[in-house]
Amino acid sequence: MSARKMGASPWAVLAVAVLLGGCAVDPRVRAKSLEDENRKLTREVQAADQAVQASAAYLAEMQAPAKAGGAFSLYFTPETLDRMAAQTVPYRMSGREFNSKLKGEIIVERVTDFQFLSRNRLRCKAHLRGEKIKYTGSVPSFARGQVKEFEQAVTKGAIADLEVRLELDGPHVVARARATDIRLKAKRDSSAESRLQDEMNKKALRLPLVFDMTIQGHGAVPRRLMVTGNHVVVTYAP
């Protein structure tokens, strides 16, 4: 009998470990995770349906403007969003909005590089830096140097890639952002970057941003939002 047949392969051992790990997960945690995933998928399907309906209505109005019934649209280009974002920064957040044991502030200095995606989404970059950052949790002596390097790296700055889904809720545009990647500027550390991204999604980006799209002194109200390849289009009706 060959040695290959006598011993378990490394892949087999890994497979057993994964299966045992999966069996050890609390069923309640697994059920909660599945519920969250189901809600996320449901929102994505609804957003896709709304995007298709908005596209059809927008195309019909473009082909027959007279049928628009007094409706009109505002168009926002990437350059327009760059200028609007420049008016809202710097934006300061408590370090505890990222981690309960992170002292100091995270400052969003710039939001740039807007790109439009399908299903009413866009992509952009948030340029961040820390101020007076300090981790206040208990740290073993052998890890204190790594924590210090992390504090210094966050202070020197990071770039977060964000994917933002836009939804129209009455007169408001609701922007739900998610960090898809974070890169530290001073010293790349995949573990620290992954942790920072995870904490950002769980806490700092947990609540959406809400923008009032009311036009002062005008009776028209927003009735449709759509992201095309070149614009964010908000359509108003009398």
Side-chain angles (χ1 to χ4, degrees), residues 2-221:
S2 70
R4 181 179 177 83
K5 293 182 179 178
M6 289 176 63
S9 73
W11 297 111
V13 173
L14 179 61
V16 171
V18 170
L19 286 173
L20 290 176
C23 292
V25 175
D26 188 327
R28 292 170 298 182
V29 173
R30 178 62 175 162
K32 177 66 165 54
S33 176
L34 291 173
E35 289 173 0
D36 291 343
E37 182 67 16
N38 184 61
R39 280 194 290 268
K40 176 185 174 183
L41 292 174
T42 299
R43 287 197 301 269
E44 290 180 352
V45 170
Q46 290 173 343
D49 288 344
Q50 291 170 0
V52 170
Q53 293 170 8
S55 297
Y58 177 68
L59 179 60
E61 289 176 5
M62 292 290 287
Q63 293 174 336
K67 295 182 179 179
F72 63 93
S73 297
L74 297 183
Y75 297 82
F76 300 88
T77 65
E79 293 75 20
T80 304
L81 296 184
D82 273 330
R83 290 194 296 270
M84 292 172 65
Q87 296 173 4
T88 64
V89 293
Y91 179 76
R92 293 176 175 266
M93 295 178 286
S94 167
R96 289 185 171 83
E97 291 187 49
F98 285 75
N99 185 289
S100 61
K101 300 184 184 301
L102 195 63
K103 187 178 179 181
E105 289 187 318
I106 301 292
I107 304 169
V108 181
E109 294 190 310
R110 292 183 296 143
V111 182
T112 63
D113 298 278
F114 287 92
Q115 299 176 1
F116 298 144
L117 308 174
S118 61
R119 303 196 306 277
N120 285 358
R121 296 172 301 143
L122 58 84
R123 183 185 295 122
C124 60
K125 295 182 185 296
H127 300 255
L128 320 169
R129 69 172 176 86
E131 191 172 277
K132 298 180 180 180
I133 292 296
K134 185 174 180 58
Y135 183 73
T136 60
S138 177
V139 179
S141 57
F142 69 85
R144 288 172 185 166
Q146 293 177 333
V147 171
K148 189 68 176 178
E149 289 181 353
F150 172 74
E151 293 171 349
Q152 293 173 347
V154 172
T155 298
K156 291 179 179 178
I159 299 176
D161 291 340
L162 304 180
E163 182 180 295
V164 185
R165 183 181 302 279
L166 302 179
E167 302 171 2
L168 190 61
D169 183 9
H172 302 103
V173 169
V174 180
R176 304 182 188 278
R178 180 176 65 90
T180 58
D181 187 47
I182 290 184
R183 299 174 300 286
L184 293 170
K185 294 181 180 179
K187 184 177 181 181
R188 296 299 305 272
D189 182 330
S190 59
S191 177
E193 290 167 341
S194 177
R195 179 64 181 273
L196 191 60
Q197 176 184 338
D198 189 47
E199 294 290 345
M200 190 173 184
N201 284 327
K202 285 182 178 179
K203 294 189 176 182
L205 298 177
R206 181 174 59 86
L207 297 176
L209 295 175
V210 180
F211 303 92
D212 188 351
M213 299 302 294
T214 302
I215 301 177
Q216 297 299 323
H218 201 291
V221 295

